[in-house]
Amino acid sequence: MFGWLKETSRGKLKVGEWAGVQSIPRILAIEDNKLHMEPAEELQVLRKNHKKYENIDISESWMPETKGKALEIIAEFNINDDIKEFTIDILASKDNEEKTSIVYSTENNRLSVDRNKSSASNLTDQSKLGTDFSLEEGETLKLHIFIDYSTVEVFANYRKCISTRVYPIKVDSENIKISILEGDKLKLKSFDIWEMNSI
């Protein structure tokens, strides 16, 4: 299945004449009477320059070496009582003026994409998009993230997905940073990241 991401998020920012873009293709299924969705495996042919990190204890923040504006990320976290809320900032500038924040709250059982600082321009939509998302007992949180310049798609344990448009305008808005917003320690079980080739 393909989705259609409208261009309304750009607001009055002039970035092109197109009316929207297709989402990445995803496969839908019913498993245990629940909707299951995941990216089509054919997308893996676009991967290059893989980096993998494992068993990282984050006390404040952590940044991978890889950066870019066209990336695929699979991040898996062990969630326990030490963490209440954390964020993965993507498409972030060095001065932090621009960033798109993927936020997970364990207290509210909520996943969101905060676009408040996604663009240094004040002409774009800066709203936060979110969905209720709770983990089952003992379940890890796996976020599968696709970044393609102005498109961001976040799959959570392949049960929920948030897809949106963002419009960073700074040249160096390509950094990634995981930060604790509330809590003491976050266990990053694994973090896989690939640069993505163009089709």
Side-chain angles (χ1 to χ4, degrees), residues 101-158:
S101 299
I102 301 165
V103 182
Y104 184 66
S105 169
T106 62
E107 288 192 315
N108 299 322
N109 292 319
R110 190 157 182 84
L111 176 71
S112 60
V113 176
D114 190 345
R115 302 181 296 177
N116 182 53
K117 297 178 70 176
S118 290
S119 179
S121 169
N122 60 7
L123 299 176
T124 63
D125 187 339
Q126 299 179 343
S127 62
K128 179 188 289 188
L129 306 175
T131 181
D132 294 333
F133 185 75
S134 58
L135 295 171
E136 299 176 1
E137 185 174 355
E139 185 181 21
T140 60
L141 174 65
K142 179 181 284 189
L143 299 179
H144 196 163
I145 303 164
F146 289 85
I147 305 163
D148 188 11
Y149 291 85
S150 67
T151 301
V152 174
E153 303 198 51
V154 184
F155 294 81
N157 291 40
Y158 305 114

Side-chain angles (χ1 to χ4, degrees), residues 71-89:
L71 301 170
E72 179 184 357
I73 298 167
I74 301 177
E76 187 172 7
F77 301 88
N78 287 323
I79 303 298
N80 54 39
D81 293 338
D82 292 331
I83 188 70
K84 303 299 182 185
E85 189 174 51
F86 70 92
T87 179
I88 304 176
D89 293 332

Side-chain angles (χ1 to χ4, degrees), residues 9-187:
S9 295
R10 73 179 178 187
K12 296 181 179 180
L13 183 67
K14 300 297 183 183
V15 292
E17 299 301 326
W18 51 85
V21 297
Q22 285 184 324
S23 72
I24 61 172
R26 62 196 67 184
I27 308 300
L28 304 183
I30 300 296
E31 296 183 2
D32 298 325
N33 293 318
K34 295 179 181 179
L35 179 63
H36 180 89
M37 65 185 84
E38 60 181 275
E41 64 178 15
E42 288 82 358
L43 292 167
Q44 295 177 15
V45 302
L46 301 177
R47 292 172 172 176
K48 65 177 182 179
N49 299 332
H50 176 225
K51 294 281 188 180
K52 185 177 184 69
Y53 305 85
E54 293 182 292
N55 300 318
I56 297 175
D57 292 318
I58 302 173
S59 56
E60 293 183 3
S61 63
W62 174 80
M63 296 179 68
E65 294 178 7
T66 303
K67 59 183 70 174
K69 298 185 180 185
L71 301 170
E72 179 184 357
I73 298 167
I74 301 177
E76 187 172 7
F77 301 88
N78 287 323
I79 303 298
N80 54 39
D81 293 338
D82 292 331
I83 188 70
K84 303 299 182 185
E85 189 174 51
F86 70 92
T87 179
I88 304 176
D89 293 332
I90 59 173
L91 296 172
S93 59
K94 290 181 180 179
D95 61 8
N96 222 35
E97 183 180 359
E98 279 189 341
K99 63 180 180 179
T100 295
S101 299
I102 301 165
V103 182
Y104 184 66
S105 169
T106 62
E107 288 192 315
N108 299 322
N109 292 319
R110 190 157 182 84
L111 176 71
S112 60
V113 176
D114 190 345
R115 302 181 296 177
N116 182 53
K117 297 178 70 176
S118 290
S119 179
S121 169
N122 60 7
L123 299 176
T124 63
D125 187 339
Q126 299 179 343
S127 62
K128 179 188 289 188
L129 306 175
T131 181
D132 294 333
F133 185 75
S134 58
L135 295 171
E136 299 176 1
E137 185 174 355
E139 185 181 21
T140 60
L141 174 65
K142 179 181 284 189
L143 299 179
H144 196 163
I145 303 164
F146 289 85
I147 305 163
D148 188 11
Y149 291 85
S150 67
T151 301
V152 174
E153 303 198 51
V154 184
F155 294 81
N157 291 40
Y158 305 114
R159 296 200 299 272
K160 293 286 185 75
C161 181
I162 300 175
S163 301
T164 188
R165 304 294 303 281
V166 295
Y167 300 91
I169 59 177
K170 304 192 74 169
V171 175
D172 69 341
S173 292
E174 58 182 7
N175 297 284
I176 300 165
K177 185 178 183 180
I178 301 176
S179 301
I180 294 175
L181 300 179
E182 185 177 354
D184 298 320
K185 186 170 64 176
L186 176 63
K187 181 71 172 183

